[in-house]
Amino acid sequence: ENMQASCFFFLLWWSVYVVRAREECVYHLHQPKCGGTFVWRLLRNRFCVDENEICTRNSLRPPPSCKCVVNPITKESKIQAALRAGTYRFISAHSLAQFSSRCHLAVWFREPNARVISHWGYFRYRRGFNLTSLATLLENKPPRWANNQQWSLFMQASVKGSPTQNDVNAATTKLSTTAFVGILNDMDASLCLFASTFLSSTQTL
């Protein structure tokens, strides 16, 4: 309870004062249905206080004119080079394809059953898919909404179908080197820990 109370007041303070990121690159791996959209919107605005430093997929620019990017899918060589060099301040993406070892990798997880239910609801009600039990049984592979991307995003791209124990071990090793792991089910504490690790504050009038 004391931890929750401390985090509540910390987050309240965080929302009032401008929070300026340290000059380090943070790569947010956006896990589907793990609070990723909330996380990247919150962190993007903390790492780039100036809106002019933020660029979307449709307005990508290399640093220094752009310092925060979200879902940077592009073939532009200068932007790809900047991603590989880790020269952006904050990056949020749905895969590790553009991850640079010069960045700190941050990811949020969620209780697996709750994540699958949330993903099912997204495809059923937001995307309008007909997700009947019969359709699921007729699938030759698990449907997209049932795929546990929480582990698959840490697998090698060559892994198809059920992973072997070696695949799981490799993914576990990769996860163990992740700079930050947050939990959606304990978001307040996760944000407190993230802020204390990667952000510093400056009060402005």
Side-chain angles (χ1 to χ4, degrees):
E1 293 181 0
N2 291 335
M3 178 64 175
Q4 291 179 342
S6 298
C7 283
F8 172 79
F9 287 111
F10 182 87
L11 292 173
L12 179 63
W13 165 83
W14 198 21
S15 66
V16 172
Y17 295 105
V18 175
V19 177
R20 191 175 303 280
R22 300 168 185 167
E23 293 300 321
E24 298 176 347
C25 169
V26 171
Y27 191 104
H28 167 236
L29 179 59
H30 185 166
Q31 302 266 27
K33 318 316 295 178
C34 293
T37 300
F38 166 78
V39 168
W40 73 249
R41 285 177 176 171
L42 179 66
L43 299 184
R44 174 200 62 184
N45 295 335
R46 294 305 188 273
F47 279 86
C48 287
V49 178
D50 184 351
E51 291 186 0
N52 293 322
E53 296 178 337
I54 301 172
C55 55
T56 63
R57 188 194 307 180
N58 297 324
S59 61
L60 293 175
R61 306 183 305 277
S65 63
C66 176
K67 297 180 179 179
C68 293
V69 294
V70 176
N71 206 15
I73 300 175
T74 180
K75 294 182 179 179
E76 173 61 44
S77 60
K78 290 183 178 180
I79 296 174
Q80 289 184 339
L83 290 167
R84 289 193 297 269
T87 53
Y88 285 102
R89 186 179 296 165
F90 175 75
I91 303 164
S92 180
H94 284 282
S95 78
L96 292 171
Q98 296 162 315
F99 174 68
S100 168
S101 59
R102 298 183 181 182
C103 296
H104 299 288
L105 179 60
V107 63
W108 262 256
F109 287 115
R110 184 178 188 176
E111 193 281 318
N113 291 328
R115 198 208 69 82
V116 169
I117 292 172
S118 179
H119 215 184
W120 180 89
Y122 170 78
F123 278 107
R124 175 65 181 86
Y125 298 107
R126 292 288 299 275
R127 300 289 297 276
F129 283 30
N130 181 20
L131 304 176
T132 64
S133 298
L134 179 59
T136 301
L137 291 173
L138 292 176
E139 290 280 348
N140 292 324
K141 59 182 180 179
R144 291 176 62 190
W145 57 267
N147 180 23
N148 186 8
Q149 290 172 292
Q150 293 188 98
W151 62 257
S152 63
L153 286 177
F154 284 89
M155 293 286 178
Q156 297 293 331
S158 59
V159 176
K160 304 296 182 183
S162 299
T164 65
Q165 187 58 50
N166 287 338
D167 295 330
V168 173
N169 293 341
T172 302
T173 299
K174 185 181 296 185
L175 179 60
S176 68
T177 62
T178 300
F180 179 84
V181 176
I183 304 296
L184 176 63
N185 309 72
D186 200 357
M187 181 64 83
D188 288 0
S190 296
L191 289 175
C192 285
L193 180 59
F194 182 92
S196 66
T197 304
F198 296 108
L199 301 175
S200 59
S201 63
T202 56
Q203 183 175 351
T204 60
L205 296 177

